[in-house]
Amino acid sequence: MDLEDLEHNTRDGLHAASLAGTWIALVPGLAGLRDHDGTLAFAPRLPAGITRLAITLSVRGRRLRVEITPGTTSYRLLDGGPLRLLHDGTPFTVTCTHPVIRPTTATPEPTGGAPTQPRGRAPAHRRPRP
C-alpha cells in the first residue's frame, strides 16, 4: 500500500496485491492459521507493540470471530453449527453459545541485531512534508 503518493497514482484506487500480502502477514502469520486435513488450526502470536488482532472468517457456512491479545485468544462462533478447531495443537469445539478462550503463547524476543539492507539497496531517507 502506498503510504505516500510517490508514483502519483493513488487516485487509481487500492493495490489489491498489497491487501493480499497484508492478509497473509496477519492471518496465516500472526494468527497462525493453517488447514490441517480440513480442520482449521491456529497458533497465535503477537509481537511486542501489537495489543490486539481481531479477524472474522467465513468457514464452511459459519462465521468465526477470533480475537488475539498478548494474554488470551478468544474464539466465538457468530452463526452456524459447532465447529472443531485446533489451538496450538490442542483440539476444541466452539459453538454460538459457548465462546472458547485459550492462552496466547508469548512471542520470543528476536535474537541478534536489526536486519540490514544489502549494500546499495537501503531505501532513500525522505524529509517529512511540512
Side-chain angles (χ1 to χ4, degrees):
M1 208 75 199
D2 290 333
L3 298 178
E4 190 173 338
D5 193 6
L6 299 176
E7 300 299 323
H8 309 289
N9 63 354
T10 57
R11 70 183 173 281
D12 296 333
L14 295 174
H15 295 267
S18 294
L19 294 175
T22 300
W23 191 89
I24 290 169
L26 295 175
V27 180
L30 296 181
L33 175 64
R34 303 290 187 275
D35 184 339
H36 293 294
D37 298 323
T39 300
L40 291 186
F42 292 86
R45 309 288 186 272
L46 289 183
I50 297 180
T51 59
R52 181 176 172 267
L53 173 63
I55 56 175
T56 302
L57 303 169
S58 178
V59 181
R60 296 179 199 96
R62 303 167 184 94
R63 285 184 308 138
L64 173 67
R65 177 79 169 176
V66 181
E67 294 189 41
I68 305 163
T69 68
T72 61
T73 299
S74 166
Y75 300 91
R76 181 180 308 273
L77 200 56
L78 302 176
D79 54 42
L83 183 62
R84 185 171 166 80
L85 302 170
L86 295 172
H87 175 87
D88 282 332
T90 303
F92 67 96
T93 301
V94 63
T95 65
C96 290
T97 56
H98 294 95
V100 175
I101 298 173
R102 297 286 187 259
T104 301
T105 303
T107 303
E109 290 295 319
T111 58
T116 59
Q117 295 290 328
R119 184 179 171 97
R121 300 295 296 174
H125 292 282
R126 295 180 179 88
R127 284 189 259 166
R129 291 183 178 177

